[in-house]
Amino acid sequence: MLRCTVKFCGGCNPRFDRGEAYQTVRTSLTGVANFSYPEDGAHYDVLLIVRGCTGCPYLYDEIDADHRVILTSAHEIPAAIREIEQRASET
């Protein structure tokens, strides 16, 4: 099972419900990935970055993760789920 973490942008210009999007991703990946909030010094397989728009440039380089999945709109949820499932199948 993948060890995953999530980071939300600052929310200055949210164009969709980021919390709901995260819940959808998390629920869809039950049994595939365990999600938690980032902890200092921890390593993750995947960092899910949930942005409210396309303007936020942050990749949260301070978080140690093998792969970053960026979600900028609700219609990208299925692709984000597939990308994380793909990572799980590779491990």
Side-chain angles (χ1 to χ4, degrees):
M1 190 155 346
L2 290 178
R3 184 168 186 213
C4 302
T5 191
V6 63
K7 263 315 250 189
F8 293 87
C9 70
C12 65
N13 191 21
R15 296 180 180 165
F16 68 107
D17 187 331
R18 296 170 300 138
E20 183 178 307
Y22 170 57
Q23 276 299 89
T24 300
V25 170
R26 187 175 164 184
T27 302
S28 297
L29 293 168
T30 300
V32 173
N34 284 328
F35 281 88
S36 66
Y37 292 107
E39 298 176 19
D40 288 340
H43 173 79
Y44 300 95
D45 299 307
V46 175
L47 165 58
L48 174 65
I49 301 171
V50 184
R51 298 178 177 166
C53 67
T54 58
C56 180
Y58 304 112
L59 292 176
Y60 303 99
D61 292 327
E62 70 278 8
I63 297 173
D64 182 18
D66 293 333
H67 191 70
R68 283 165 167 67
V69 175
I70 300 171
L71 182 59
T72 61
S73 69
H75 77 271
E76 293 177 353
I77 293 171
I81 293 167
R82 284 192 306 272
E83 191 171 345
I84 295 170
E85 287 173 332
Q86 178 66 34
R87 294 294 298 176
S89 71
E90 294 171 358
T91 59

